[in-house]
Each structure stands twice: as C-alpha cells, then as structure tokens.
Amino acid sequence: MRLPYGGDAWLVTRYSDARIVLADPRFSRAATLGADIPRMLPDPDYAPAILTMDPPAHTRIRRLVAGAFSARQVAALRPMIEAHADDLIDRMLAAGPPADLVAGFGKPLAMAVICDVLGVPPGDQERFRGWSTTAVTAQTVAPAELEAALANLSGYLTELVAARRRHPTDDVLGQLVAARDDGEQLSEEELVFLGVTLLVAGHETSEKAIADAMFVLLQRPQQVERLRADPGLLPTAVEELLRYLPLETAGGAFSRVVTEELELGGVRLEAGDVVFVRLSVANRDPRTFAEPDRLDLTRARNPHLAFGHGIHLCLGSYLGRTELQVSLDRLLDRLPRLRLAVDPAEVQWRTDGFVRGPVRLPVTW
Ligand code: HEM
C-alpha cells in the first residue's frame, strides 16, 4: 500500500502472517525510530517509547512494569474498578435519562482507573487531558502542536517524578522512580516517557473499547439478555467483542522494519521493507475463526490479536479486559432497560486516534 509519507509498505492481513510479524525478531520496531520510512505522519517517529524498543532495551523496561499489570495484580484492582463504575452509574441514575456513555461512563472510568494505578492525582486531569488527546490524534494535528503536547506531558510527568523523590509512594510511578534511583535500571528520559505512555495508552484505548462494545451489544437485545441471565459468560463475551470490534484506526497500526531478507506468506521481503499489520482484519480470518463476521459471545476458541502478540503484547491487556468486564457487568446489571437513544446510523465516530470510538453514545433506560 502507499502511505501518505515515505512511499510504499506491505499490509499484512492474514492471521498466521500477522502472528509472525508481531513475534519474529526480524521485524523490528526500533528500526522505525527516526527513520524516513513509509508512515502516516510528516515527521518520522522519535518517541523513545516501550513500543518502539527491541530487546534488550525492551526486555529491561518491560520487566520493570510487567508485575504491576499482571493478571494477579489486576485481579486485586477489580474492586476499585467496580467502585468507580458504580459511582458513575449512580450519577447517571441521579441525573436521569438520557445519558452519553462516552462522556458519562467510558471516558471517566478509564481515566479514574489509570490515574489510580499510576498514582496520578485525578484532579490534574483537566491539565493533561488535552495534551493526551493531541498525542493520540497525531494524524490530524500540526507537527508543532504534537511536539508541544508531548513536551507538556513530559514536563507534567517530570513534576510527578520529582514529587515522588520528595515523598516516595508505592503506586506504579513510585515503583518506577525507585527502580531508576536504585541501580539505574532505566534512564530519566525512559522513566518520564514510560509514565507518559502508560497515562496516555491507559485511558485512550479502554474508554473507546468500552463504548464500542456497548454500541455493538445494545443493538443485539437477545444477546444482552443472554449475558444478563448468565454473567459467568462475561469473560468469554468480552474476548469475542475484542475480536469482533474493529478497534484500530488507519493510523493506529505500528509498523515494523524487516531486518533481513525473508519470505512471508509467499512474498519475498527485502531488508528495509516496512510492514503494517491489520489486527482487526486478521481477527476475522476465516482460516482461524469459524463464521468470523458473526458475533458469537460463547465462542470458545478465540486466540484474537486485539492486544497484539509477541513481546509488545499489550501491557494493559488484563487491565483493559477487566475494565470491559466490569463495565458490561455493572451497566447491564444496574440498568435493566438500557438501550440506544438514537438510530445507530446517527452515531458519529472518532477515527483520528489509535483506537476508533463513538464521539457520543446516547443511551436511555
Ligand atoms: C481494550 C483496551 C486496549 C487495547 C485494544 C490495546 C491494544 C494494544 C495493542 C494492539 C498493542 C500492541 C501494538 C503493537 O505491537 O503494534 C498494545 C500495546 C501496549 N499497550 Fe495496550 N491496549 C489497551 C489497553 C491498554 C491499557 C489499559 C494500557 C495501560 C497500561 C495499555 C498499555 C500498552 C502499552 C504500554 C503497550 C506497549 C507494550 C510493549 O511495547 O511492550 N494498553 N496495546
């Protein structure tokens, strides 16, 4: 395919090929940094993020944060996530219908959860929300605006890090500061940028996934009734929604550079070639998923790629799925008559971030 900048790249859509590109070290993320390669944005990517690292740097950084986002740690966070969800539903009930599930539920829930995990004061949201939105809508903002937003976010995280040096904490940011200061396991720049990545990736993705899932579910009342009748089905249902939803946007795919000549899916790739993977298409590959275009909330075998695969598999995959499980559980349980308040065709979509999501999702009950 032809990209807006830097020429032609390969687009990988077959499930088996997608898994190879995401897991084989001959497809490098680090080689995309600062390189004049096929890309969506005018400027090459310079952000020294965990997602733009190869081993051993990636292994070193990932090890520092993996524990905080493990299945066990996230299971312990569930009551906190439920409390935030219930609080937001209380407010919706108090205000009465209709409500917007984006502004009134998905957005504030995802933000409250990641702030809690990182130890970011929720009261600071007004300061960093705009910068964060700019950072993920890089395709539609001027390069200078993007640079300023990233600089502001880094400045903000630098302040939070300094505060933790004065008063140590045991939240994720506090743990990272301790790792930095005790044996220098990461540089100051890596520390600050990891904080920025976690803050931005931690809410922009989940808030949209929650709204996307509700948009799809609320159009299928029979499936909703089935979920209500059997809440034990929720984890399976959430995996199916993650497979089924087209979450990524055109600019929301992270390219890889081929490091040596190889063959993929019968095509010869040269060193230096650039490859994009379309996760949402791979997730509907009929060679892997029977009846891929059918939403089957009971689908038992579901090795979807919504969180990626290989060493960059989403760090927040347990957190993201738990936020989805809790959201569906609480909304369906507490609002038995919940339904869309508009024709689905009227819902407008944001496609300028990494994850696609409704601008507003009007509901009533
Ligand atoms: C449903 C919500 C989410 C979805 C669909 C999602 C999706 C993804 C995908 C597809 C990747 C891999 C990209 C690639 O390899 O090209 C990824 C990586 C990542 N995600 Fe998520 N994500 C979600 C929630 C979160 C949350 C809540 C966090 C907060 C911690 C997070 C943090 C990250 C990080 C740090 C990486 C990079 C990991 C690495 O390079 O080792 N994500 N995410």
Side-chain angles (χ1 to χ4, degrees):
M1 59 176 180
R2 176 141 303 167
L3 275 289
Y5 305 92
D8 294 349
W10 298 99
L11 180 66
V12 171
T13 56
R14 204 179 287 164
Y15 180 87
S16 54
D17 294 339
R19 278 177 77 102
I20 292 172
V21 173
L22 296 172
D24 188 321
R26 293 173 301 170
F27 295 88
S28 164
R29 282 287 302 141
T32 63
L33 257 197
D36 179 20
I37 50 171
R39 60 189 183 278
M40 296 296 287
L41 298 177
D43 291 334
D45 187 2
Y46 287 105
I50 181 171
L51 189 49
T52 35
M53 288 173 184
D54 288 345
H58 177 268
T59 323
R60 173 173 53 84
I61 304 278
R62 176 102 185 191
R63 198 176 289 146
L64 292 174
V65 275
F69 293 93
S70 68
R72 203 161 57 94
Q73 280 300 319
V74 171
L77 297 175
R78 188 178 277 260
M80 173 272 282
I81 302 173
E82 285 171 344
H84 283 305
D86 277 328
D87 176 46
L88 290 164
I89 296 171
D90 287 343
R91 289 181 206 201
M92 278 169 55
L93 287 170
D100 172 11
L101 272 192
V102 175
F105 189 81
K107 239 178 210 287
L109 178 71
M111 183 65 101
V113 169
I114 197 66
C115 283
D116 242 322
V117 173
L118 291 181
V120 169
D124 285 358
Q125 279 177 40
E126 292 315 312
R127 270 184 76 193
F128 63 76
R129 182 185 280 286
W131 304 326
S132 172
T133 305
T134 305
V136 295
T137 48
Q139 299 157 60
T140 49
V141 299
E145 207 182 320
L146 174 63
E147 207 176 300
L150 288 175
N152 282 328
L153 279 170
S154 296
Y156 174 64
L157 260 295
T158 304
E159 273 175 34
L160 292 183
V161 164
R164 271 161 185 74
R165 291 217 162 92
R166 291 192 298 273
H167 305 288
T169 55
D170 65 0
D171 47 47
V172 170
L173 269 184
Q175 290 166 22
L176 290 175
V177 171
R180 154 84 183 133
D181 295 349
D182 170 23
E184 304 211 348
Q185 298 172 65
L186 76 173
S187 72
E188 194 74 10
E189 188 193 28
E190 287 169 344
L191 165 61
V192 166
F193 210 79
L194 188 54
V196 170
T197 306
L198 294 174
L199 183 58
V200 174
H203 73 274
E204 298 281 358
T205 45
S206 299
E207 70 173 49
K208 299 206 173 72
I210 292 167
D212 288 2
M214 291 309 295
F215 175 78
V216 164
L217 271 184
L218 292 179
Q219 289 172 73
R220 292 165 174 79
Q222 282 180 341
Q223 307 229 38
V224 169
E225 276 326 303
R226 181 134 192 227
L227 265 185
R228 272 206 188 93
D230 180 9
L233 195 58
L234 263 171
T236 313
V238 163
E239 295 314 305
E240 174 67 347
L241 284 160
L242 284 163
R243 181 194 72 80
Y244 181 84
L245 294 167
L247 288 175
E248 79 216 310
T249 58
F254 302 96
S255 65
R256 267 86 178 160
V257 174
V258 177
T259 58
E260 60 186 74
E261 187 187 320
L262 55 89
E263 199 182 289
L264 179 72
V267 174
R268 242 172 73 138
L269 305 184
E270 308 288 338
D273 279 2
V274 169
V275 178
F276 283 80
V277 175
R278 193 120 288 266
L279 302 173
S280 51
V281 181
N283 278 341
R284 296 212 188 182
D285 187 335
R287 284 160 287 224
T288 306
F289 302 99
E291 292 188 77
D293 295 330
R294 192 163 73 89
L295 179 76
D296 173 4
L297 298 183
T298 64
R299 192 180 291 271
R301 191 186 158 274
N302 200 343
H304 66 76
L305 299 176
F307 290 118
H309 174 64
I311 61 166
H312 294 287
L313 175 79
C314 177
L315 177 71
S317 61
Y318 291 110
L319 188 58
R321 11 172 93 90
T322 306
E323 288 176 81
L324 275 163
Q325 288 172 13
V326 168
S327 299
L328 268 50
D329 178 54
R330 303 318 295 141
L331 285 169
L332 299 187
D333 183 51
R334 296 196 54 200
L335 301 165
R337 288 165 45 80
L338 186 66
R339 59 194 184 278
L340 288 181
V342 292
D343 185 325
E346 281 174 32
V347 172
Q348 290 178 358
W349 294 86
R350 277 203 85 131
T351 54
D352 53 356
F354 293 136
V355 176
R356 173 184 155 280
V359 177
R360 273 180 298 280
L361 192 60
V363 292
T364 187
W365 56 88

